[in-house]
Amino acid sequence: MTVVSTTKDTQALSLVIVAELAAPPEKVWQIWADPRKLERWWGPPEWPATFPDHDFRVGGHVSYFMTGPDGEKAHGWWTFLAIDEHRSIEFEDGFADDAGQPSDEMPTIHGRVTFEPLEGGTRMTVTSRFDTLEDLEKLVAMGMADGMTAAMGQIDAVLADA
């Protein structure tokens, strides 16, 4: 399995998921930079994602939706804050309504992804920071940790096909 640790830190208001992947950082980078590769792993297997908009640059916007087994759609958005090629990505991450507009009813997540070379691969760390403990607990209770772990479990197959 790809994921080696998941840590919820109520003091730091964060959820950190670490994966070790058998590919160099340049190749792992592409699973974020290429929306067609992102679609193959973002979201748990039973909730595949579609990325109609993916402007991968600082200030760029992403809109996506995940489709559940019954056809229900869950919409989301990102805005890229910082991109350091092959090293890190920072973005705001939130829920959206059916029209793709950010939802005021759900928290915004402050995401950071880092890519560290390992012998024979890459350690990818996804850190989600929250504004309040209530926001962290709400999303963990909704299944965020399990969903991200299941989603990231699909990355090896994407990298193998690249």
mmCIF file with all atom_site columns, all heavy atoms in Angstrom, residues 24-49:
data_model
loop_
_atom_site.group_PDB
_atom_site.id
_atom_site.type_symbol
_atom_site.label_atom_id
_atom_site.label_alt_id
_atom_site.label_comp_id
_atom_site.label_asym_id
_atom_site.label_entity_id
_atom_site.label_seq_id
_atom_site.pdbx_PDB_ins_code
_atom_site.Cartn_x
_atom_site.Cartn_y
_atom_site.Cartn_z
_atom_site.occupancy
_atom_site.B_iso_or_equiv
_atom_site.pdbx_formal_charge
_atom_site.auth_seq_id
_atom_site.auth_comp_id
_atom_site.auth_asym_id
_atom_site.auth_atom_id
_atom_site.pdbx_PDB_model_num
ATOM 1   N N   . PRO A 1 24 ? 10.344  8.509  -9.170  1.00 0.00 ? 24 PRO A N   1
ATOM 2   C CA  . PRO A 1 24 ? 11.054  9.745  -8.792  1.00 0.00 ? 24 PRO A CA  1
ATOM 3   C C   . PRO A 1 24 ? 10.081  10.915 -8.654  1.00 0.00 ? 24 PRO A C   1
ATOM 4   O O   . PRO A 1 24 ? 8.976   10.901 -9.214  1.00 0.00 ? 24 PRO A O   1
ATOM 5   C CB  . PRO A 1 24 ? 12.031  9.954  -9.937  1.00 0.00 ? 24 PRO A CB  1
ATOM 6   C CG  . PRO A 1 24 ? 11.411  9.263  -11.105 1.00 0.00 ? 24 PRO A CG  1
ATOM 7   C CD  . PRO A 1 24 ? 10.661  8.089  -10.540 1.00 0.00 ? 24 PRO A CD  1
ATOM 8   N N   . PRO A 1 25 ? 10.483  11.971 -7.928  1.00 0.00 ? 25 PRO A N   1
ATOM 9   C CA  . PRO A 1 25 ? 9.602   13.128 -7.746  1.00 0.00 ? 25 PRO A CA  1
ATOM 10  C C   . PRO A 1 25 ? 9.052   13.715 -9.050  1.00 0.00 ? 25 PRO A C   1
ATOM 11  O O   . PRO A 1 25 ? 7.895   14.129 -9.099  1.00 0.00 ? 25 PRO A O   1
ATOM 12  C CB  . PRO A 1 25 ? 10.486  14.147 -7.007  1.00 0.00 ? 25 PRO A CB  1
ATOM 13  C CG  . PRO A 1 25 ? 11.465  13.304 -6.259  1.00 0.00 ? 25 PRO A CG  1
ATOM 14  C CD  . PRO A 1 25 ? 11.735  12.129 -7.159  1.00 0.00 ? 25 PRO A CD  1
ATOM 15  N N   . GLU A 1 26 ? 9.861   13.723 -10.104 1.00 0.00 ? 26 GLU A N   1
ATOM 16  C CA  . GLU A 1 26 ? 9.406   14.282 -11.377 1.00 0.00 ? 26 GLU A CA  1
ATOM 17  C C   . GLU A 1 26 ? 8.191   13.530 -11.910 1.00 0.00 ? 26 GLU A C   1
ATOM 18  O O   . GLU A 1 26 ? 7.278   14.120 -12.498 1.00 0.00 ? 26 GLU A O   1
ATOM 19  C CB  . GLU A 1 26 ? 10.533  14.243 -12.420 1.00 0.00 ? 26 GLU A CB  1
ATOM 20  C CG  . GLU A 1 26 ? 11.743  15.067 -12.057 1.00 0.00 ? 26 GLU A CG  1
ATOM 21  C CD  . GLU A 1 26 ? 12.670  14.397 -11.013 1.00 0.00 ? 26 GLU A CD  1
ATOM 22  O OE1 . GLU A 1 26 ? 12.567  13.164 -10.771 1.00 0.00 ? 26 GLU A OE1 1
ATOM 23  O OE2 . GLU A 1 26 ? 13.485  15.132 -10.419 1.00 0.00 ? 26 GLU A OE2 1
ATOM 24  N N   . LYS A 1 27 ? 8.158   12.230 -11.723 1.00 0.00 ? 27 LYS A N   1
ATOM 25  C CA  . LYS A 1 27 ? 7.046   11.408 -12.192 1.00 0.00 ? 27 LYS A CA  1
ATOM 26  C C   . LYS A 1 27 ? 5.844   11.547 -11.253 1.00 0.00 ? 27 LYS A C   1
ATOM 27  O O   . LYS A 1 27 ? 4.704   11.636 -11.707 1.00 0.00 ? 27 LYS A O   1
ATOM 28  C CB  . LYS A 1 27 ? 7.495   9.955  -12.294 1.00 0.00 ? 27 LYS A CB  1
ATOM 29  C CG  . LYS A 1 27 ? 6.542   9.067  -13.035 1.00 0.00 ? 27 LYS A CG  1
ATOM 30  C CD  . LYS A 1 27 ? 7.171   7.694  -13.274 1.00 0.00 ? 27 LYS A CD  1
ATOM 31  C CE  . LYS A 1 27 ? 6.239   6.794  -14.029 1.00 0.00 ? 27 LYS A CE  1
ATOM 32  N NZ  . LYS A 1 27 ? 6.824   5.476  -14.263 1.00 0.00 ? 27 LYS A NZ  1
ATOM 33  N N   . VAL A 1 28 ? 6.095   11.590 -9.949  1.00 0.00 ? 28 VAL A N   1
ATOM 34  C CA  . VAL A 1 28 ? 5.007   11.747 -8.979  1.00 0.00 ? 28 VAL A CA  1
ATOM 35  C C   . VAL A 1 28 ? 4.358   13.118 -9.162  1.00 0.00 ? 28 VAL A C   1
ATOM 36  O O   . VAL A 1 28 ? 3.132   13.266 -9.051  1.00 0.00 ? 28 VAL A O   1
ATOM 37  C CB  . VAL A 1 28 ? 5.516   11.544 -7.531  1.00 0.00 ? 28 VAL A CB  1
ATOM 38  C CG1 . VAL A 1 28 ? 4.414   11.810 -6.528  1.00 0.00 ? 28 VAL A CG1 1
ATOM 39  C CG2 . VAL A 1 28 ? 6.074   10.130 -7.360  1.00 0.00 ? 28 VAL A CG2 1
ATOM 40  N N   . TRP A 1 29 ? 5.153   14.127 -9.475  1.00 0.00 ? 29 TRP A N   1
ATOM 41  C CA  . TRP A 1 29 ? 4.648   15.474 -9.727  1.00 0.00 ? 29 TRP A CA  1
ATOM 42  C C   . TRP A 1 29 ? 3.521   15.462 -10.753 1.00 0.00 ? 29 TRP A C   1
ATOM 43  O O   . TRP A 1 29 ? 2.532   16.172 -10.629 1.00 0.00 ? 29 TRP A O   1
ATOM 44  C CB  . TRP A 1 29 ? 5.812   16.339 -10.213 1.00 0.00 ? 29 TRP A CB  1
ATOM 45  C CG  . TRP A 1 29 ? 5.465   17.738 -10.536 1.00 0.00 ? 29 TRP A CG  1
ATOM 46  C CD1 . TRP A 1 29 ? 5.189   18.241 -11.784 1.00 0.00 ? 29 TRP A CD1 1
ATOM 47  C CD2 . TRP A 1 29 ? 5.347   18.833 -9.632  1.00 0.00 ? 29 TRP A CD2 1
ATOM 48  N NE1 . TRP A 1 29 ? 4.920   19.592 -11.692 1.00 0.00 ? 29 TRP A NE1 1
ATOM 49  C CE2 . TRP A 1 29 ? 5.008   19.971 -10.378 1.00 0.00 ? 29 TRP A CE2 1
ATOM 50  C CE3 . TRP A 1 29 ? 5.501   18.954 -8.259  1.00 0.00 ? 29 TRP A CE3 1
ATOM 51  C CZ2 . TRP A 1 29 ? 4.822   21.219 -9.812  1.00 0.00 ? 29 TRP A CZ2 1
ATOM 52  C CZ3 . TRP A 1 29 ? 5.320   20.203 -7.680  1.00 0.00 ? 29 TRP A CZ3 1
ATOM 53  C CH2 . TRP A 1 29 ? 4.984   21.306 -8.451  1.00 0.00 ? 29 TRP A CH2 1
ATOM 54  N N   . GLN A 1 30 ? 3.664   14.623 -11.761 1.00 0.00 ? 30 GLN A N   1
ATOM 55  C CA  . GLN A 1 30 ? 2.703   14.583 -12.867 1.00 0.00 ? 30 GLN A CA  1
ATOM 56  C C   . GLN A 1 30 ? 1.312   14.128 -12.437 1.00 0.00 ? 30 GLN A C   1
ATOM 57  O O   . GLN A 1 30 ? 0.327   14.469 -13.087 1.00 0.00 ? 30 GLN A O   1
ATOM 58  C CB  . GLN A 1 30 ? 3.222   13.694 -13.999 1.00 0.00 ? 30 GLN A CB  1
ATOM 59  C CG  . GLN A 1 30 ? 4.376   14.312 -14.753 1.00 0.00 ? 30 GLN A CG  1
ATOM 60  C CD  . GLN A 1 30 ? 4.012   15.657 -15.341 1.00 0.00 ? 30 GLN A CD  1
ATOM 61  O OE1 . GLN A 1 30 ? 2.979   15.829 -15.976 1.00 0.00 ? 30 GLN A OE1 1
ATOM 62  N NE2 . GLN A 1 30 ? 4.870   16.653 -15.119 1.00 0.00 ? 30 GLN A NE2 1
ATOM 63  N N   . ILE A 1 31 ? 1.195   13.399 -11.330 1.00 0.00 ? 31 ILE A N   1
ATOM 64  C CA  . ILE A 1 31 ? -0.140  12.972 -10.891 1.00 0.00 ? 31 ILE A CA  1
ATOM 65  C C   . ILE A 1 31 ? -0.942  14.136 -10.333 1.00 0.00 ? 31 ILE A C   1
ATOM 66  O O   . ILE A 1 31 ? -2.151  14.022 -10.143 1.00 0.00 ? 31 ILE A O   1
ATOM 67  C CB  . ILE A 1 31 ? -0.098  11.801 -9.886  1.00 0.00 ? 31 ILE A CB  1
ATOM 68  C CG1 . ILE A 1 31 ? 0.518   12.233 -8.563  1.00 0.00 ? 31 ILE A CG1 1
ATOM 69  C CG2 . ILE A 1 31 ? 0.598   10.581 -10.490 1.00 0.00 ? 31 ILE A CG2 1
ATOM 70  C CD1 . ILE A 1 31 ? 0.340   11.251 -7.428  1.00 0.00 ? 31 ILE A CD1 1
ATOM 71  N N   . TRP A 1 32 ? -0.283  15.265 -10.094 1.00 0.00 ? 32 TRP A N   1
ATOM 72  C CA  . TRP A 1 32 ? -0.955  16.508 -9.690  1.00 0.00 ? 32 TRP A CA  1
ATOM 73  C C   . TRP A 1 32 ? -1.060  17.472 -10.868 1.00 0.00 ? 32 TRP A C   1
ATOM 74  O O   . TRP A 1 32 ? -2.051  18.182 -11.010 1.00 0.00 ? 32 TRP A O   1
ATOM 75  C CB  . TRP A 1 32 ? -0.189  17.192 -8.554  1.00 0.00 ? 32 TRP A CB  1
ATOM 76  C CG  . TRP A 1 32 ? -0.261  16.446 -7.273  1.00 0.00 ? 32 TRP A CG  1
ATOM 77  C CD1 . TRP A 1 32 ? 0.582   15.447 -6.849  1.00 0.00 ? 32 TRP A CD1 1
ATOM 78  C CD2 . TRP A 1 32 ? -1.241  16.594 -6.249  1.00 0.00 ? 32 TRP A CD2 1
ATOM 79  N NE1 . TRP A 1 32 ? 0.172   14.990 -5.622  1.00 0.00 ? 32 TRP A NE1 1
ATOM 80  C CE2 . TRP A 1 32 ? -0.936  15.675 -5.216  1.00 0.00 ? 32 TRP A CE2 1
ATOM 81  C CE3 . TRP A 1 32 ? -2.342  17.429 -6.076  1.00 0.00 ? 32 TRP A CE3 1
ATOM 82  C CZ2 . TRP A 1 32 ? -1.681  15.565 -4.058  1.00 0.00 ? 32 TRP A CZ2 1
ATOM 83  C CZ3 . TRP A 1 32 ? -3.095  17.329 -4.916  1.00 0.00 ? 32 TRP A CZ3 1
ATOM 84  C CH2 . TRP A 1 32 ? -2.765  16.396 -3.925  1.00 0.00 ? 32 TRP A CH2 1
ATOM 85  N N   . ALA A 1 33 ? -0.032  17.520 -11.716 1.00 0.00 ? 33 ALA A N   1
ATOM 86  C CA  . ALA A 1 33 ? 0.021   18.491 -12.812 1.00 0.00 ? 33 ALA A CA  1
ATOM 87  C C   . ALA A 1 33 ? -0.885  18.115 -13.984 1.00 0.00 ? 33 ALA A C   1
ATOM 88  O O   . ALA A 1 33 ? -1.380  18.983 -14.686 1.00 0.00 ? 33 ALA A O   1
ATOM 89  C CB  . ALA A 1 33 ? 1.461   18.631 -13.301 1.00 0.00 ? 33 ALA A CB  1
ATOM 90  N N   . ASP A 1 34 ? -1.107  16.832 -14.200 1.00 0.00 ? 34 ASP A N   1
ATOM 91  C CA  . ASP A 1 34 ? -1.898  16.354 -15.333 1.00 0.00 ? 34 ASP A CA  1
ATOM 92  C C   . ASP A 1 34 ? -3.299  15.977 -14.846 1.00 0.00 ? 34 ASP A C   1
ATOM 93  O O   . ASP A 1 34 ? -3.460  15.004 -14.102 1.00 0.00 ? 34 ASP A O   1
ATOM 94  C CB  . ASP A 1 34 ? -1.200  15.136 -15.947 1.00 0.00 ? 34 ASP A CB  1
ATOM 95  C CG  . ASP A 1 34 ? -1.930  14.558 -17.137 1.00 0.00 ? 34 ASP A CG  1
ATOM 96  O OD1 . ASP A 1 34 ? -3.148  14.789 -17.309 1.00 0.00 ? 34 ASP A OD1 1
ATOM 97  O OD2 . ASP A 1 34 ? -1.275  13.828 -17.909 1.00 0.00 ? 34 ASP A OD2 1
ATOM 98  N N   . PRO A 1 35 ? -4.334  16.718 -15.242 1.00 0.00 ? 35 PRO A N   1
ATOM 99  C CA  . PRO A 1 35 ? -5.671  16.438 -14.723 1.00 0.00 ? 35 PRO A CA  1
ATOM 100 C C   . PRO A 1 35 ? -6.189  15.049 -15.091 1.00 0.00 ? 35 PRO A C   1
ATOM 101 O O   . PRO A 1 35 ? -6.981  14.464 -14.347 1.00 0.00 ? 35 PRO A O   1
ATOM 102 C CB  . PRO A 1 35 ? -6.546  17.537 -15.330 1.00 0.00 ? 35 PRO A CB  1
ATOM 103 C CG  . PRO A 1 35 ? -5.784  18.054 -16.501 1.00 0.00 ? 35 PRO A CG  1
ATOM 104 C CD  . PRO A 1 35 ? -4.330  17.840 -16.182 1.00 0.00 ? 35 PRO A CD  1
ATOM 105 N N   . ARG A 1 36 ? -5.755  14.487 -16.211 1.00 0.00 ? 36 ARG A N   1
ATOM 106 C CA  . ARG A 1 36 ? -6.215  13.139 -16.575 1.00 0.00 ? 36 ARG A CA  1
ATOM 107 C C   . ARG A 1 36 ? -5.615  12.099 -15.618 1.00 0.00 ? 36 ARG A C   1
ATOM 108 O O   . ARG A 1 36 ? -6.279  11.126 -15.275 1.00 0.00 ? 36 ARG A O   1
ATOM 109 C CB  . ARG A 1 36 ? -5.850  12.794 -18.021 1.00 0.00 ? 36 ARG A CB  1
ATOM 110 C CG  . ARG A 1 36 ? -6.366  13.784 -19.062 1.00 0.00 ? 36 ARG A CG  1
ATOM 111 C CD  . ARG A 1 36 ? -7.884  13.935 -19.170 1.00 0.00 ? 36 ARG A CD  1
ATOM 112 N NE  . ARG A 1 36 ? -8.582  14.666 -18.152 1.00 0.00 ? 36 ARG A NE  1
ATOM 113 C CZ  . ARG A 1 36 ? -8.869  15.967 -18.143 1.00 0.00 ? 36 ARG A CZ  1
ATOM 114 N NH1 . ARG A 1 36 ? -8.455  16.751 -19.124 1.00 0.00 ? 36 ARG A NH1 1
ATOM 115 N NH2 . ARG A 1 36 ? -9.547  16.499 -17.154 1.00 0.00 ? 36 ARG A NH2 1
ATOM 116 N N   . LYS A 1 37 ? -4.394  12.317 -15.151 1.00 0.00 ? 37 LYS A N   1
ATOM 117 C CA  . LYS A 1 37 ? -3.806  11.418 -14.148 1.00 0.00 ? 37 LYS A CA  1
ATOM 118 C C   . LYS A 1 37 ? -4.460  11.655 -12.795 1.00 0.00 ? 37 LYS A C   1
ATOM 119 O O   . LYS A 1 37 ? -4.733  10.708 -12.054 1.00 0.00 ? 37 LYS A O   1
ATOM 120 C CB  . LYS A 1 37 ? -2.294  11.616 -14.073 1.00 0.00 ? 37 LYS A CB  1
ATOM 121 C CG  . LYS A 1 37 ? -1.595  11.094 -15.296 1.00 0.00 ? 37 LYS A CG  1
ATOM 122 C CD  . LYS A 1 37 ? -0.104  11.284 -15.240 1.00 0.00 ? 37 LYS A CD  1
ATOM 123 C CE  . LYS A 1 37 ? 0.475   10.705 -16.516 1.00 0.00 ? 37 LYS A CE  1
ATOM 124 N NZ  . LYS A 1 37 ? 1.825   11.074 -16.759 1.00 0.00 ? 37 LYS A NZ  1
ATOM 125 N N   . LEU A 1 38 ? -4.724  12.896 -12.474 1.00 0.00 ? 38 LEU A N   1
ATOM 126 C CA  . LEU A 1 38 ? -5.386  13.246 -11.215 1.00 0.00 ? 38 LEU A CA  1
ATOM 127 C C   . LEU A 1 38 ? -6.756  12.574 -11.122 1.00 0.00 ? 38 LEU A C   1
ATOM 128 O O   . LEU A 1 38 ? -7.148  12.060 -10.070 1.00 0.00 ? 38 LEU A O   1
ATOM 129 C CB  . LEU A 1 38 ? -5.498  14.768 -11.132 1.00 0.00 ? 38 LEU A CB  1
ATOM 130 C CG  . LEU A 1 38 ? -5.834  15.446 -9.833  1.00 0.00 ? 38 LEU A CG  1
ATOM 131 C CD1 . LEU A 1 38 ? -4.907  15.024 -8.710  1.00 0.00 ? 38 LEU A CD1 1
ATOM 132 C CD2 . LEU A 1 38 ? -5.773  16.954 -10.018 1.00 0.00 ? 38 LEU A CD2 1
ATOM 133 N N   . GLU A 1 39 ? -7.458  12.524 -12.224 1.00 0.00 ? 39 GLU A N   1
ATOM 134 C CA  . GLU A 1 39 ? -8.781  11.887 -12.255 1.00 0.00 ? 39 GLU A CA  1
ATOM 135 C C   . GLU A 1 39 ? -8.712  10.401 -11.932 1.00 0.00 ? 39 GLU A C   1
ATOM 136 O O   . GLU A 1 39 ? -9.683  9.829  -11.452 1.00 0.00 ? 39 GLU A O   1
ATOM 137 C CB  . GLU A 1 39 ? -9.431  12.062 -13.635 1.00 0.00 ? 39 GLU A CB  1
ATOM 138 C CG  . GLU A 1 39 ? -9.898  13.462 -13.896 1.00 0.00 ? 39 GLU A CG  1
ATOM 139 C CD  . GLU A 1 39 ? -10.434 13.681 -15.291 1.00 0.00 ? 39 GLU A CD  1
ATOM 140 O OE1 . GLU A 1 39 ? -10.085 12.910 -16.210 1.00 0.00 ? 39 GLU A OE1 1
ATOM 141 O OE2 . GLU A 1 39 ? -11.202 14.642 -15.460 1.00 0.00 ? 39 GLU A OE2 1
ATOM 142 N N   . ARG A 1 40 ? -7.577  9.780  -12.167 1.00 0.00 ? 40 ARG A N   1
ATOM 143 C CA  . ARG A 1 40 ? -7.447  8.343  -11.933 1.00 0.00 ? 40 ARG A CA  1
ATOM 144 C C   . ARG A 1 40 ? -7.225  7.987  -10.462 1.00 0.00 ? 40 ARG A C   1
ATOM 145 O O   . ARG A 1 40 ? -7.307  6.817  -10.107 1.00 0.00 ? 40 ARG A O   1
ATOM 146 C CB  . ARG A 1 40 ? -6.318  7.783  -12.786 1.00 0.00 ? 40 ARG A CB  1
ATOM 147 C CG  . ARG A 1 40 ? -6.665  7.874  -14.281 1.00 0.00 ? 40 ARG A CG  1
ATOM 148 C CD  . ARG A 1 40 ? -5.653  7.212  -15.156 1.00 0.00 ? 40 ARG A CD  1
ATOM 149 N NE  . ARG A 1 40 ? -5.392  5.851  -14.722 1.00 0.00 ? 40 ARG A NE  1
ATOM 150 C CZ  . ARG A 1 40 ? -4.240  5.240  -14.950 1.00 0.00 ? 40 ARG A CZ  1
ATOM 151 N NH1 . ARG A 1 40 ? -3.265  5.834  -15.605 1.00 0.00 ? 40 ARG A NH1 1
ATOM 152 N NH2 . ARG A 1 40 ? -4.067  3.999  -14.528 1.00 0.00 ? 40 ARG A NH2 1
ATOM 153 N N   . TRP A 1 41 ? -6.920  9.007  -9.635  1.00 0.00 ? 41 TRP A N   1
ATOM 154 C CA  . TRP A 1 41 ? -6.698  8.655  -8.230  1.00 0.00 ? 41 TRP A CA  1
ATOM 155 C C   . TRP A 1 41 ? -7.396  9.577  -7.238  1.00 0.00 ? 41 TRP A C   1
ATOM 156 O O   . TRP A 1 41 ? -7.636  9.180  -6.090  1.00 0.00 ? 41 TRP A O   1
ATOM 157 C CB  . TRP A 1 41 ? -5.194  8.579  -7.909  1.00 0.00 ? 41 TRP A CB  1
ATOM 158 C CG  . TRP A 1 41 ? -4.501  9.898  -7.873  1.00 0.00 ? 41 TRP A CG  1
ATOM 159 C CD1 . TRP A 1 41 ? -3.907  10.539 -8.900  1.00 0.00 ? 41 TRP A CD1 1
ATOM 160 C CD2 . TRP A 1 41 ? -4.317  10.741 -6.726  1.00 0.00 ? 41 TRP A CD2 1
ATOM 161 N NE1 . TRP A 1 41 ? -3.382  11.744 -8.477  1.00 0.00 ? 41 TRP A NE1 1
ATOM 162 C CE2 . TRP A 1 41 ? -3.617  11.884 -7.136  1.00 0.00 ? 41 TRP A CE2 1
ATOM 163 C CE3 . TRP A 1 41 ? -4.687  10.631 -5.376  1.00 0.00 ? 41 TRP A CE3 1
ATOM 164 C CZ2 . TRP A 1 41 ? -3.276  12.910 -6.267  1.00 0.00 ? 41 TRP A CZ2 1
ATOM 165 C CZ3 . TRP A 1 41 ? -4.346  11.657 -4.518  1.00 0.00 ? 41 TRP A CZ3 1
ATOM 166 C CH2 . TRP A 1 41 ? -3.645  12.775 -4.965  1.00 0.00 ? 41 TRP A CH2 1
ATOM 167 N N   . TRP A 1 42 ? -7.726  10.797 -7.600  1.00 0.00 ? 42 TRP A N   1
ATOM 168 C CA  . TRP A 1 42 ? -8.343  11.715 -6.633  1.00 0.00 ? 42 TRP A CA  1
ATOM 169 C C   . TRP A 1 42 ? -9.763  11.229 -6.335  1.00 0.00 ? 42 TRP A C   1
ATOM 170 O O   . TRP A 1 42 ? -10.559 11.048 -7.230  1.00 0.00 ? 42 TRP A O   1
ATOM 171 C CB  . TRP A 1 42 ? -8.359  13.142 -7.169  1.00 0.00 ? 42 TRP A CB  1
ATOM 172 C CG  . TRP A 1 42 ? -8.846  14.122 -6.149  1.00 0.00 ? 42 TRP A CG  1
ATOM 173 C CD1 . TRP A 1 42 ? -10.106 14.640 -6.055  1.00 0.00 ? 42 TRP A CD1 1
ATOM 174 C CD2 . TRP A 1 42 ? -8.113  14.676 -5.058  1.00 0.00 ? 42 TRP A CD2 1
ATOM 175 N NE1 . TRP A 1 42 ? -10.187 15.487 -4.976  1.00 0.00 ? 42 TRP A NE1 1
ATOM 176 C CE2 . TRP A 1 42 ? -8.975  15.525 -4.346  1.00 0.00 ? 42 TRP A CE2 1
ATOM 177 C CE3 . TRP A 1 42 ? -6.802  14.530 -4.612  1.00 0.00 ? 42 TRP A CE3 1
ATOM 178 C CZ2 . TRP A 1 42 ? -8.570  16.230 -3.221  1.00 0.00 ? 42 TRP A CZ2 1
ATOM 179 C CZ3 . TRP A 1 42 ? -6.402  15.238 -3.501  1.00 0.00 ? 42 TRP A CZ3 1
ATOM 180 C CH2 . TRP A 1 42 ? -7.274  16.073 -2.818  1.00 0.00 ? 42 TRP A CH2 1
ATOM 181 N N   . GLY A 1 43 ? -10.040 11.037 -5.107  1.00 0.00 ? 43 GLY A N   1
ATOM 182 C CA  . GLY A 1 43 ? -11.328 10.498 -4.697  1.00 0.00 ? 43 GLY A CA  1
ATOM 183 C C   . GLY A 1 43 ? -11.212 9.004  -4.473  1.00 0.00 ? 43 GLY A C   1
ATOM 184 O O   . GLY A 1 43 ? -10.443 8.319  -5.140  1.00 0.00 ? 43 GLY A O   1
ATOM 185 N N   . PRO A 1 44 ? -11.963 8.483  -3.508  1.00 0.00 ? 44 PRO A N   1
ATOM 186 C CA  . PRO A 1 44 ? -11.948 7.040  -3.272  1.00 0.00 ? 44 PRO A CA  1
ATOM 187 C C   . PRO A 1 44 ? -12.416 6.296  -4.524  1.00 0.00 ? 44 PRO A C   1
ATOM 188 O O   . PRO A 1 44 ? -13.117 6.873  -5.363  1.00 0.00 ? 44 PRO A O   1
ATOM 189 C CB  . PRO A 1 44 ? -12.934 6.853  -2.119  1.00 0.00 ? 44 PRO A CB  1
ATOM 190 C CG  . PRO A 1 44 ? -13.198 8.202  -1.562  1.00 0.00 ? 44 PRO A CG  1
ATOM 191 C CD  . PRO A 1 44 ? -12.867 9.197  -2.626  1.00 0.00 ? 44 PRO A CD  1
ATOM 192 N N   . PRO A 1 45 ? -12.057 5.019  -4.666  1.00 0.00 ? 45 PRO A N   1
ATOM 193 C CA  . PRO A 1 45 ? -12.413 4.272  -5.879  1.00 0.00 ? 45 PRO A CA  1
ATOM 194 C C   . PRO A 1 45 ? -13.906 4.327  -6.226  1.00 0.00 ? 45 PRO A C   1
ATOM 195 O O   . PRO A 1 45 ? -14.262 4.384  -7.404  1.00 0.00 ? 45 PRO A O   1
ATOM 196 C CB  . PRO A 1 45 ? -11.974 2.842  -5.565  1.00 0.00 ? 45 PRO A CB  1
ATOM 197 C CG  . PRO A 1 45 ? -10.905 2.992  -4.534  1.00 0.00 ? 45 PRO A CG  1
ATOM 198 C CD  . PRO A 1 45 ? -11.264 4.218  -3.736  1.00 0.00 ? 45 PRO A CD  1
ATOM 199 N N   . GLU A 1 46 ? -14.771 4.332  -5.216  1.00 0.00 ? 46 GLU A N   1
ATOM 200 C CA  . GLU A 1 46 ? -16.212 4.356  -5.489  1.00 0.00 ? 46 GLU A CA  1
ATOM 201 C C   . GLU A 1 46 ? -16.745 5.769  -5.748  1.00 0.00 ? 46 GLU A C   1
ATOM 202 O O   . GLU A 1 46 ? -17.924 5.952  -6.043  1.00 0.00 ? 46 GLU A O   1
ATOM 203 C CB  . GLU A 1 46 ? -16.993 3.680  -4.365  1.00 0.00 ? 46 GLU A CB  1
ATOM 204 C CG  . GLU A 1 46 ? -16.892 4.351  -3.025  1.00 0.00 ? 46 GLU A CG  1
ATOM 205 C CD  . GLU A 1 46 ? -15.634 4.014  -2.217  1.00 0.00 ? 46 GLU A CD  1
ATOM 206 O OE1 . GLU A 1 46 ? -14.767 3.260  -2.692  1.00 0.00 ? 46 GLU A OE1 1
ATOM 207 O OE2 . GLU A 1 46 ? -15.524 4.527  -1.088  1.00 0.00 ? 46 GLU A OE2 1
ATOM 208 N N   . TRP A 1 47 ? -15.877 6.785  -5.652  1.00 0.00 ? 47 TRP A N   1
ATOM 209 C CA  . TRP A 1 47 ? -16.240 8.188  -5.915  1.00 0.00 ? 47 TRP A CA  1
ATOM 210 C C   . TRP A 1 47 ? -15.222 8.803  -6.872  1.00 0.00 ? 47 TRP A C   1
ATOM 211 O O   . TRP A 1 47 ? -14.487 9.726  -6.496  1.00 0.00 ? 47 TRP A O   1
ATOM 212 C CB  . TRP A 1 47 ? -16.278 8.984  -4.612  1.00 0.00 ? 47 TRP A CB  1
ATOM 213 C CG  . TRP A 1 47 ? -17.523 8.793  -3.811  1.00 0.00 ? 47 TRP A CG  1
ATOM 214 C CD1 . TRP A 1 47 ? -17.791 7.775  -2.944  1.00 0.00 ? 47 TRP A CD1 1
ATOM 215 C CD2 . TRP A 1 47 ? -18.674 9.639  -3.807  1.00 0.00 ? 47 TRP A CD2 1
ATOM 216 N NE1 . TRP A 1 47 ? -19.036 7.937  -2.401  1.00 0.00 ? 47 TRP A NE1 1
ATOM 217 C CE2 . TRP A 1 47 ? -19.606 9.081  -2.904  1.00 0.00 ? 47 TRP A CE2 1
ATOM 218 C CE3 . TRP A 1 47 ? -19.003 10.818 -4.469  1.00 0.00 ? 47 TRP A CE3 1
ATOM 219 C CZ2 . TRP A 1 47 ? -20.844 9.654  -2.655  1.00 0.00 ? 47 TRP A CZ2 1
ATOM 220 C CZ3 . TRP A 1 47 ? -20.235 11.394 -4.218  1.00 0.00 ? 47 TRP A CZ3 1
ATOM 221 C CH2 . TRP A 1 47 ? -21.149 10.812 -3.322  1.00 0.00 ? 47 TRP A CH2 1
ATOM 222 N N   . PRO A 1 48 ? -15.118 8.336  -8.115  1.00 0.00 ? 48 PRO A N   1
ATOM 223 C CA  . PRO A 1 48 ? -14.106 8.877  -9.031  1.00 0.00 ? 48 PRO A CA  1
ATOM 224 C C   . PRO A 1 48 ? -14.330 10.357 -9.331  1.00 0.00 ? 48 PRO A C   1
ATOM 225 O O   . PRO A 1 48 ? -15.455 10.850 -9.312  1.00 0.00 ? 48 PRO A O   1
ATOM 226 C CB  . PRO A 1 48 ? -14.273 8.022  -10.290 1.00 0.00 ? 48 PRO A CB  1
ATOM 227 C CG  . PRO A 1 48 ? -15.669 7.498  -10.220 1.00 0.00 ? 48 PRO A CG  1
ATOM 228 C CD  . PRO A 1 48 ? -15.984 7.349  -8.752  1.00 0.00 ? 48 PRO A CD  1
ATOM 229 N N   . ALA A 1 49 ? -13.225 11.031 -9.611  1.00 0.00 ? 49 ALA A N   1
ATOM 230 C CA  . ALA A 1 49 ? -13.245 12.478 -9.832  1.00 0.00 ? 49 ALA A CA  1
ATOM 231 C C   . ALA A 1 49 ? -13.157 12.828 -11.313 1.00 0.00 ? 49 ALA A C   1
ATOM 232 O O   . ALA A 1 49 ? -12.562 12.102 -12.105 1.00 0.00 ? 49 ALA A O   1
ATOM 233 C CB  . ALA A 1 49 ? -12.087 13.131 -9.092  1.00 0.00 ? 49 ALA A CB  1
#
